[in-house]
Amino acid sequence: MHREGRRKGLELPLFSFATVVAATDNFSPTNKLGQGGFGPVYKGKLPEGPEIAVKRLSRSSGQGLEEFKNEIILIAKLQHMNLVRILGCCIEGEEKILLYEYMPNKSLDSFLFDPTKGKLLDWGKRVHIINGIAQGLLYLHKYSRLRVIHRDLKASNILLDGKMNPKISDFGMARIFGRNESEANTNRVVGTYGYMSPEYAMEGLFSEKSDVFSFGVLLLEIVSGKKNTSFYHSDRSLNLLGYAWELWKDGRVSELMDPMLGDPTSTCCNILRFIQMGLLCVQESAKDRPTMSDVVSMLGNEMATLTNPKQPAFFLGRRGLEENSSKNRTENCSNNDLTISEIEAR
């Protein structure tokens, strides 16, 4: 692997811009994997080394530099099989670039919400993905050297390796918590509409329970194959959480199951339990939600009795969120999954 040393304080291998250019065939459009709020992502190949994903900071991205610094500081200190691994960075002139391990199956949303590829996610694979995400989040909240709140957990930030193992990615919006710190407040919200907890979206309050809420949304999306930001029973403006709650109250929650999973009889009871876990995670009050330790325990013990969830937080249309939040803060939304990506220094 061609490394050009380490910059003081970075704790990461430093690559020259020439090496990155060669690895990506001069950022060839044929190597482009995607485009995020941070900037474009390319596939590359290091000389006599592994395939890589190259995230290049867009020069037009005003908030991207803060995300870049944040991601370098955080991800260099985090190591877990369910977190994407960073291989190095390039800081040269105006170029700010991160090099990651390449994930051949791209992101979870590319499977989950695709009418063809979704069929490849049978129930066993979905359970494996849910468990892996939960383990990665538990590590961030409890077992890593730093206690980290991700703040932007969503299907497009879950990458899949060649064996469909999930890896949490994109730590540009994450925040480090002190061991005795339980909650923090910000005047500017970052994250993605549809995955944000109500106390965060409306009041700027975030905690481990904010990530638990996002995990609950993700769990319900994985079970249903539906996006939370799509609307169901549009005359009542119900998103996925509202729809799941209505089905739960009516005793028809099995109807939430993704039809691509086929005959529900063999997995029905198991799936209903997962839906119940998802609803517990998205309850309106943060104190009612389980911790990730609780979630991992529930996932690992099928015999444990689950409590009945209280009403989840769900917004009756995007306008309600915008009207409430605009009273207190300024928000910038990108066109990428409606990511609210205003960065605010602590």
Side-chain angles (χ1 to χ4, degrees):
M1 189 182 293
H2 284 231
R3 300 179 182 178
E4 281 75 23
R6 295 172 187 263
R7 180 165 291 193
K8 186 177 180 181
L10 280 185
E11 298 186 29
L12 276 179
L14 199 61
F15 292 79
S16 71
F17 185 62
T19 298
V20 177
V21 167
T24 59
D25 192 17
N26 197 20
F27 303 102
S28 167
T30 58
N31 283 330
K32 190 171 181 179
L33 296 172
Q35 177 80 34
F38 179 102
V41 181
Y42 298 88
K43 182 180 179 181
K45 177 76 165 64
L46 292 172
E48 301 175 6
E51 289 183 311
I52 57 172
V54 174
K55 187 156 74 167
R56 186 183 193 188
L57 173 62
S58 171
R59 295 179 188 181
S60 63
S61 175
Q63 80 283 359
L65 180 58
E66 291 303 316
E67 291 184 50
F68 181 85
K69 291 176 182 174
N70 201 45
E71 190 144 11
I72 285 180
I73 292 167
L74 275 175
I75 206 165
K77 298 177 184 292
L78 301 173
Q79 289 192 350
H80 188 273
M81 64 180 293
N82 294 116
L83 304 183
V84 71
R85 188 163 59 94
I86 194 167
L87 302 176
C89 62
C90 170
I91 304 173
E92 195 169 304
E94 294 185 10
E95 294 291 345
K96 308 287 186 294
I97 296 168
L98 292 173
L99 285 67
Y100 293 93
E101 59 178 331
Y102 173 64
M103 296 286 109
N105 282 314
K106 300 185 180 177
S107 56
L108 176 59
D109 63 323
S110 67
F111 281 85
L112 197 56
F113 308 129
D114 186 281
T116 302
K117 292 171 72 176
K119 295 175 183 176
L120 300 174
L121 291 180
D122 60 27
W123 181 235
K125 286 189 177 71
R126 295 189 197 209
V127 170
H128 176 71
I129 288 168
I130 290 168
N131 275 300
I133 298 168
Q135 291 289 348
L137 263 188
L138 177 61
Y139 168 80
L140 290 177
H141 289 180
K142 191 171 182 179
Y143 295 119
S144 67
R145 283 195 284 165
L146 305 172
R147 186 159 157 253
V148 177
I149 311 300
H150 188 277
R151 293 208 297 177
D152 200 20
L153 191 72
K154 56 184 175 180
S156 60
N157 280 343
I158 304 299
L159 304 184
L160 302 169
D161 69 11
K163 295 182 179 180
M164 300 298 280
N165 295 309
K167 294 177 185 280
I168 299 170
S169 71
D170 203 336
F171 289 81
M173 297 178 183
R175 291 282 283 267
I176 302 170
F177 262 34
R179 286 293 164 190
N180 297 319
E181 190 178 9
S182 61
E183 186 178 72
N185 180 268
T186 179
N187 289 324
R188 289 177 181 168
V189 169
V190 297
T192 302
Y193 172 75
Y195 292 89
M196 286 188 289
S197 65
E199 70 275 8
Y200 184 39
M202 303 300 183
E203 303 170 60
L205 293 172
F206 62 94
S207 65
E208 291 177 3
K209 297 295 186 75
S210 310
D211 280 354
V212 170
F213 182 92
S214 302
F215 174 81
V217 175
L218 195 48
L219 196 162
L220 292 172
E221 288 185 332
I222 291 169
V223 170
S224 67
K226 296 179 171 69
K227 290 185 178 182
N228 186 39
T229 48
S230 299
F231 286 86
Y232 311 93
H233 299 301
S234 56
D235 55 321
R236 295 166 60 196
S237 292
L238 286 178
N239 62 6
L240 179 62
L241 304 191
Y243 181 51
W245 179 245
E246 293 284 296
L247 292 176
W248 173 267
K249 287 192 302 179
D250 294 343
R252 299 185 295 123
V253 75
S254 60
E255 294 178 25
L256 195 69
M257 174 181 154
D258 191 342
M260 289 192 191
L261 293 172
D263 181 8
T265 53
S266 60
T267 56
C268 184
C269 291
N270 199 6
I271 287 178
L272 296 186
R273 182 178 174 82
F274 275 74
I275 293 171
Q276 188 171 353
M277 279 188 272
L279 286 171
L280 286 170
C281 289
V282 298
Q283 291 176 105
E284 189 158 12
S285 174
K287 65 179 174 53
D288 290 331
R289 296 173 211 146
T291 63
M292 285 313 301
S293 295
D294 297 330
V295 171
V296 168
S297 178
M298 287 187 278
L299 288 168
N301 184 0
E302 293 184 7
M303 303 305 293
T305 302
L306 303 184
T307 58
N308 285 324
K310 299 177 183 177
Q311 178 170 309
F314 51 90
F315 305 111
L316 301 179
R318 198 166 78 218
R319 183 180 300 172
L321 171 62
E322 291 170 345
E323 287 175 351
N324 278 280
S325 58
S326 64
K327 294 174 185 176
N328 302 315
R329 62 188 68 86
T330 301
E331 298 177 357
N332 289 342
C333 290
S334 79
N335 292 322
N336 300 299
D337 291 331
L338 287 169
T339 296
I340 299 172
S341 52
E342 185 79 32
I343 297 296
E344 180 259 358
R346 192 165 182 179

